[in-house]
Amino acid sequence: MAAELTVGDTNGILQQPWVRPERTSHGLGWEQLYVSTQREQPYQASFAGARSHLVILHLDGPVTVRRGHLGLARSRVIPAGGLFVHPAGKDLSVELGGLLGTVHAYLTDDMLREANDGDPVELAEELGSLDPLLEQLLLTLDGVLRHWEPSARTYVDQLGRTLAAQLTRHHSVCAAASTPVPARSGLTDRQLSSVQDLIEARLAYPLPLRDLAAVTGLSVSQFARQFRVRTGLAPHQFVIGRRVEAAVLLLRRTSIPIVEIAQRCGFSHQEHLTRVLRARLDTTPAAMRASYSAFVQDEDVPTSGD
């Protein structure tokens, strides 16, 4: 299993005394993505290049940011929603002119390569750019940190791949906008069957996207695309759907405690199962069990001992 990406793989901004982290992905096992949300005080500093690519989302503002050395510096007033993009391996000098809330996302070079069908990607150095999709992805990742559930692992992987793809297509030095998009094909019957078997076998556990891709012999980015073409769903949506189906079946056919059903079906706890059922089926586990029990009594279904 690949090692978790940590703050030690970043360029050092988050380890400075003027940065106050509010939540991070530390300890969550995210392998190619590190996310941190924090408040930053004004500062001026230089940092050595890191092995990870950096994207910063400004949560508030406007605030003045200067990037570069002396006469080569660029300065810009950046509003809330503005982005700061910095490629891996390049030193960074930056000056922040005011208090600021930010979301930082650090991605490995391997993640960008996977999003570019294995070819290297050189990100552009951006200061104050706007990208509504990139902004929403970073806000969603922050939301995942706020309400972390281990069962969301597949979802996080999907968000990370989408983030990498957006950076590759629209924020690289040689933007891929002019490159023809290859024809898409879906998973074969055998590949889809292998994926479904793995989901069933590990329904109760976090399921990284990498593990699903491995049984198909595809890269993670290829798998995610081909899975959606074949099923019409992103992998994490499919996994959640299967967990819901399994939970509903157990609620209707057994007297297993709801808390145990939640665990068996890959939900973090009973409250998590309740939230998902309410969102998807407009009901709760207790209500579903009660309504089915009433139906069985009305139908006077004989028990196995009759």
Side-chain angles (χ1 to χ4, degrees):
M1 178 178 292
E4 175 187 8
L5 198 67
T6 71
V7 70
D9 300 300
T10 70
N11 56 19
I13 295 178
L14 300 178
Q15 296 171 301
Q16 302 306 310
W18 57 79
V19 174
R20 180 169 59 85
E22 297 179 346
R23 48 193 167 271
T24 77
S25 58
H26 174 75
L28 302 183
W30 299 6
E31 296 166 3
Q32 298 194 67
L33 177 68
Y34 182 85
V35 177
S36 176
T37 300
Q38 54 279 311
R39 298 295 303 177
E40 302 181 35
Q41 297 178 355
Y43 70 88
Q44 181 178 9
S46 294
F47 305 93
R51 73 183 188 95
S52 55
H53 301 276
L54 167 63
V55 184
I56 301 174
L57 171 66
H58 287 216
L59 295 175
D60 46 39
V63 66
T64 300
V65 178
R66 180 174 288 105
R67 177 179 193 154
H69 294 282
L70 301 176
L72 298 178
R74 291 179 294 156
S75 179
R76 182 164 297 177
V77 177
I78 302 177
L83 298 164
F84 184 107
V85 181
H86 189 76
K90 291 191 176 182
D91 296 346
L92 171 64
S93 291
V94 63
E95 179 180 349
L96 176 63
L99 296 173
L100 181 65
T102 59
V103 178
H104 285 216
Y106 296 83
L107 302 86
T108 65
D109 195 58
D110 285 344
M111 182 176 272
L112 288 190
R113 284 175 175 265
E114 288 178 4
N116 199 37
D117 294 325
D119 294 329
V121 178
E122 182 182 358
L123 289 186
E125 297 182 36
E126 297 183 5
L127 179 62
S129 56
L130 298 174
D131 183 329
L133 176 56
L134 211 55
E135 177 184 0
Q136 188 58 51
L137 288 169
L138 291 167
L139 290 174
T140 302
L141 284 166
D142 176 57
V144 172
L145 289 182
R146 285 178 183 270
H147 309 288
W148 171 245
E149 307 282 0
S151 59
R153 178 59 187 277
T154 314
Y155 183 42
V156 168
D157 285 349
Q158 185 67 41
L159 288 172
R161 307 299 161 180
T162 306
L163 182 67
Q166 184 69 1
L167 287 169
T168 297
R169 293 169 185 164
H170 299 287
H171 299 271
S172 63
V173 172
C174 299
S178 61
T179 303
V181 178
R184 293 184 176 184
S185 59
L187 296 180
T188 65
D189 291 345
R190 179 175 295 181
Q191 287 173 322
L192 182 59
S193 177
S194 297
V195 171
Q196 291 172 322
D197 288 345
L198 181 60
I199 292 172
E200 294 304 314
R202 294 176 55 180
L203 200 63
Y205 305 98
L207 192 53
L209 204 57
R210 171 180 48 78
D211 292 359
L212 293 171
V215 300
T216 66
L218 300 171
S219 71
V220 173
S221 59
Q222 290 173 328
F223 166 74
R225 290 196 300 268
Q226 294 189 27
F227 186 91
R228 183 183 285 275
V229 169
R230 177 63 190 265
T231 67
L233 297 171
H236 77 273
Q237 294 173 321
F238 188 92
V239 171
I240 288 293
R242 183 64 197 99
R243 285 173 171 159
V244 167
E245 290 173 357
V248 167
L249 191 64
L250 290 175
L251 286 167
R252 287 179 170 176
R253 295 189 178 182
T254 75
S255 59
I256 297 172
I258 295 174
V259 63
E260 185 177 338
I261 290 177
Q263 294 171 350
R264 286 192 184 190
C265 297
F267 297 95
S268 301
H269 39 66
Q270 183 172 332
E271 291 76 10
H272 184 204
L273 171 60
T274 299
R275 289 202 306 270
V276 173
L277 284 189
R278 184 176 286 118
R280 287 182 169 243
L281 303 177
D282 195 27
T283 188
T284 66
M288 176 170 287
R289 171 161 281 173
S291 64
Y292 189 73
S293 296
F295 170 77
V296 171
Q297 292 173 2
D298 289 344
E299 291 295 309
D300 193 25
V301 177
T303 64
S304 58
D306 290 341

